[in-house]
Amino acid sequence: MNMSLLFLIPLLPLVGFAINGLAYPKLPKQIAGIIGTIPPLVAFALSLQLFLNFDGQAQILPIADWIKVGSLEIPFAFQIDQLSILMLLVITGVGTLIHVYSIGYMSHDAGFGKFFAFLNLFVFFMLILVLGANFTVLFIGWEGVGLCSYLLIGFWNQKNSYGDAARKAFIMNRIGDLGFLVGIFLLIQDFGTTDYQTIFTAIQSGDYTTDLSIIAFCLFIGAMGKSAQIPLFTWLPDAMAGPTPVSALIHAATMVTAGIYMVIRANALFELSPEVLHFVGWIGLATALLGAAIGLFQNDIKKVLAYSTVSQLGYMFMGLGASAYTASFFHVMTHAFFKALLFLGAGSVIHAMSDEQDIRRMGGLKSKMPITFITFMLGTIAIAGIPPFAGFFSKDEILASLYHHDPIMWGLAILGSALTSFYMFRVFILTFYGEFRGTEKQAHHLHESPITMTLPLIILAVFSVGGGLINLPHFAGGNEFLAHWLAPLLPEAGEAGEVNFLSLEGGAPLLAAFLPAFLAIYVFGMQKSVPSEDAEISGIQKVIYHKFYIDELYDMLFVKPIAFLSNFFFQVIDFLVIDLFVEGLGRFVKYASSEFRRAQTGNVGIYLFCMVAAIVVILFVSLKSTILQ
């Protein structure tokens, strides 16, 4: 591939955004859907060609001179290497399938063209993020995906709650982004640039003076916000307010993977900050367990998948904390496949159920939606870590790394894996098996989704089943392609060790995948148990159902005090001080002007008298000054 054509990969979605954005709402929906889908599809074809023709040498493509302040020069440039190429394939590939799916899912929405414009803009900024040759260009994409998440989460802005969810996502990400921005400033202060190659070369040669741990920690704060880690994770479940394709795009191919990508990209920096890596791992573990625990009792099908994403992101950060960069990125890729599949499958169910999202109102959809049923089942098996599906190989690579890195962390990660298997099979069985628990109107409306929605499900299901081949280990007959592909960029060995499935290391993950699945099948399938209604939930289940009241805690600690201060400044400072002073000054000027206006009588005799009086005063003052001298 001609490197000069590289700029077309992000440019194409930007063109799609411009056309649909400017022509909306005049374009017919069919045309808007085609215009919105072709750019990521062509970008995927170009990315695939780039992957097939890549010679293994990283290349920088300067686009334009950008920031020049004294000795600081930051060009707008793209970098192509092993990591960015794989991210291009994931973003454009999964993104294209989500665009195709959206044609059917959003077909009756009045904002169809605007929706596709926002999707294209989202893909554009994510491509900028992964293509940037320095942290500053990355930061443009970083902020851009935050903007697009705000636009898409609040897309159905007729409801105030959707707007609240969009603002929550935007504000919480700004908190993380402040830390990220401080990290970039520290890089400029110490290295005089934000260029990847320059910084990482200097780090490897020891040519730096700043404590790298501070920089790494600041950068990770940004990752905590963008990739929804404790304590900045509560925005991601609320992001379900947007249309389901948005959820799939955010959770699978774009925004939440940005933090993982950034840490992998800056691995040279984090490797020399072992305390920060340790912190990364434990934050990932805490997030994984919290997300999995909350997912146990959620009844909104999209909320379950949202907390599942929170949990799976925690596993990726656990891998990063153990310096298992390949394993974490492997899980990024497989997670993109099965999480996109699960969200789009959930969207297919919601579409058939007339926008119903409560799994307590579903059941018996197996015969009505066979394609959705089969593909959702494959996605469930994949995320549960059951062999030989994709999730088994990627998650178990992380667990194997943790086993040698920190046995306690490994044991707790196994617990999280068991919880994942249970709540995913719970959702699957309650949705597709048993008797239908919805209304007669919903039962009459049940049908399989159109081909534009089922085709992406089938393709993603294939990758959810066979995605493990990307980094299939030697003991399974593979050649660990991904490990060898990324080896030039990462500090770890290119091969994973042999795993004995009869040992604790190999057997525990299998038990954690199978036993909870069987338990869920027994409880919700054979026993036909149905979750209680909200009013009947009590005890620890109620605490977990209400997400450990973390949102309420944040509301009490941050939102209410800020609202109180805001009201205080409005009522006291703004109203009683500023307004009183400004309005008082205005009233004084108005009064003074009205009094002075009385002198303007229009009587010439009075004007002459005033002139004579003024002359007398002037003469008197002048004469007095002369006498005194």
Side-chain angles (χ1 to χ4, degrees):
M1 176 182 177
N2 188 341
M3 288 299 294
S4 62
L5 296 178
L6 173 64
F7 75 96
L8 287 177
I9 295 177
L11 181 62
L12 286 167
L14 183 62
V15 172
F17 159 73
I19 295 174
N20 269 328
L22 294 174
Y24 168 80
K26 296 181 180 179
L27 276 180
K29 290 184 177 179
Q30 296 85 349
I31 302 300
I34 293 173
I35 292 174
T37 305
I38 287 179
L41 177 61
V42 176
F44 173 73
L46 293 174
S47 301
L48 184 60
Q49 185 182 2
L50 182 64
F51 169 75
L52 295 174
N53 296 325
F54 185 64
D55 60 4
Q57 297 296 318
Q59 299 185 51
I60 304 295
L61 180 64
I63 305 299
D65 291 334
W66 187 23
I67 297 176
K68 288 187 176 182
V69 181
S71 61
L72 176 64
E73 293 187 13
I74 302 176
F76 194 95
F78 291 159
Q79 177 170 318
I80 284 296
D81 57 20
Q82 292 86 346
L83 181 60
S84 59
I85 289 175
L86 290 180
M87 286 298 295
L88 290 180
L89 290 173
V90 172
I91 295 165
T92 57
V94 177
T96 298
L97 294 175
I98 293 172
H99 278 71
V100 173
Y101 179 94
S102 300
I103 294 175
Y105 190 86
M106 300 294 291
S107 59
H108 301 295
D109 197 282
F112 187 89
K114 180 172 67 173
F115 181 78
F116 273 87
F118 290 165
L119 284 186
N120 281 175
L121 187 64
F122 208 146
V123 172
F124 163 74
F125 276 121
M126 191 65 195
L127 292 173
I128 292 295
L129 189 154
V130 301
L131 282 173
N134 54 65
F135 283 99
T136 316
V137 177
L138 178 147
F139 190 70
I140 294 176
W142 191 275
E143 292 300 294
V145 295
L147 166 66
C148 294
S149 69
Y150 169 79
L151 296 173
L152 287 166
I153 293 169
F155 184 77
W156 287 329
N157 52 23
Q158 295 85 355
K159 292 185 178 181
N160 289 334
S161 60
Y162 291 1
D164 292 340
R167 286 189 292 274
K168 184 176 183 179
F170 193 81
I171 292 170
M172 293 201 76
N173 273 275
R174 298 292 76 71
I175 296 171
D177 294 351
L178 176 60
F180 189 76
L181 195 59
V182 170
I184 293 176
F185 289 153
L186 291 174
L187 287 172
I188 294 174
Q189 180 186 44
D190 196 56
F191 298 97
T193 182
T194 62
D195 178 69
Y196 295 147
Q197 291 189 349
T198 304
I199 292 173
F200 300 151
T201 300
I203 288 174
Q204 292 169 357
S205 63
D207 186 16
Y208 58 90
T209 57
T210 302
D211 186 354
L212 296 182
S213 296
I214 298 176
I215 299 177
F217 181 74
C218 290
L219 295 179
F220 179 62
I221 291 175
M224 292 166 70
K226 201 65 68 183
S227 295
Q229 297 297 287
I230 292 175
L232 303 177
F233 73 98
T234 56
W235 69 269
L236 189 56
D238 286 10
M240 299 302 98
T244 301
V246 174
S247 304
L249 193 62
I250 291 176
H251 287 245
T254 56
M255 186 165 171
V256 298
T257 64
I260 314 292
Y261 165 82
M262 185 273 295
V263 176
I264 296 175
R265 170 65 72 190
N267 67 83
L269 177 63
F270 281 87
E271 279 298 302
L272 293 177
S273 309
E275 301 88 356
V276 176
L277 270 185
H278 190 71
F279 179 73
V280 169
W282 281 99
I283 285 291
L285 174 63
T287 305
L289 290 176
L290 181 65
I294 295 175
L296 285 174
F297 299 116
Q298 295 302 304
N299 297 315
D300 184 317
I301 189 171
K302 288 176 66 176
K303 281 289 182 71
V304 175
L305 297 179
Y307 281 106
S308 169
T309 300
V310 172
S311 181
Q312 295 304 306
L313 289 169
Y315 277 93
M316 299 172 202
F317 278 108
M318 274 191 276
L320 296 177
S323 297
Y325 299 100
T326 298
S328 292
F329 190 76
F330 187 19
H331 202 51
V332 167
M333 297 184 72
T334 60
H335 181 264
F337 301 144
F338 57 69
K339 187 51 62 69
L341 169 61
L342 290 168
F343 264 114
L344 297 185
S348 181
V349 170
I350 294 168
H351 184 264
M353 290 286 297
S354 303
D355 296 327
E356 177 63 68
Q357 297 183 196
D358 194 329
I359 57 177
R360 294 172 294 191
R361 311 286 179 260
M362 299 178 185
L365 303 184
K366 174 184 176 182
S367 59
K368 301 293 184 180
M369 309 179 69
I371 297 177
T372 302
F373 161 71
I374 294 173
T375 54
F376 198 96
M377 177 182 66
L378 296 176
T380 300
I381 296 173
I383 193 174
I386 294 176
F389 288 63
F392 164 73
F393 291 104
S394 60
K395 186 186 290 184
D396 276 33
E397 276 200 27
I398 293 176
L399 292 174
S401 301
L402 293 175
Y403 182 80
H404 299 285
H405 174 73
D406 191 325
I408 296 177
M409 185 179 291
W410 172 82
L412 293 173
I414 292 292
L415 172 61
S417 182
L419 296 177
T420 301
S421 180
F422 179 81
Y423 69 67
M424 284 307 307
F425 273 93
R426 170 181 177 266
V427 168
F428 170 67
I429 294 166
L430 288 172
T431 301
F432 293 99
Y433 283 91
E435 299 295 328
F436 182 70
R437 300 179 294 275
T439 64
E440 291 186 8
K441 181 179 179 181
Q442 290 172 331
H444 179 73
H445 186 261
L446 289 176
H447 62 280
E448 185 58 274
S449 299
I451 186 65
T452 52
M453 296 173 64
T454 55
L455 180 60
L457 293 179
I458 294 170
I459 296 173
L460 287 167
V462 171
F463 282 96
S464 297
V465 173
L469 296 174
I470 297 172
N471 199 43
L472 195 66
H474 290 303
F475 68 82
N479 61 355
E480 298 182 350
F481 163 78
L482 186 62
H484 293 297
W485 175 265
L486 293 176
L489 302 178
L490 302 177
E492 57 190 337
E495 301 181 3
E498 300 293 323
V499 176
N500 180 3
F501 290 106
L502 297 179
S503 68
L504 180 64
E505 176 188 0
L510 291 178
L511 292 176
F514 280 105
L515 292 183
F518 291 144
L519 178 60
I521 292 171
Y522 174 77
V523 173
F524 302 104
M526 300 173 66
Q527 296 293 319
K528 301 185 184 302
S529 297
V530 178
S532 304
E533 296 298 321
D534 291 357
E536 300 173 0
I537 300 175
S538 61
I540 185 63
Q541 182 178 344
K542 183 176 181 179
V543 175
I544 298 175
Y545 180 73
H546 287 284
K547 300 161 285 189
F548 294 98
Y549 297 99
I550 293 176
D551 281 303
E552 289 79 0
L553 178 64
Y554 285 3
D555 187 65
M556 180 181 68
L557 293 179
F558 303 108
V559 177
K560 288 183 178 178
I562 292 175
F564 172 79
L565 287 175
S566 175
N567 188 62
F568 171 78
F569 278 104
F570 167 69
Q571 296 289 347
V572 178
I573 306 300
D574 192 20
F575 184 72
L576 295 180
V577 178
I578 298 177
D579 284 356
L580 191 62
F581 173 75
V582 172
E583 291 181 9
L585 184 62
R587 286 194 293 267
F588 171 76
V589 172
K590 182 179 180 181
Y591 171 77
S593 63
S594 65
E595 293 301 317
F596 279 112
R597 188 171 63 243
R598 296 177 184 275
Q600 305 298 323
T601 63
N603 190 315
V604 177
I606 293 178
Y607 294 161
L608 289 174
F609 172 78
C610 291
M611 291 174 59
V612 173
I615 292 172
V616 171
V617 170
I618 292 172
L619 291 174
F620 175 77
V621 171
S622 299
L623 181 61
K624 184 178 179 180
S625 299
T626 302
I627 294 173
L628 291 174
Q629 289 177 357

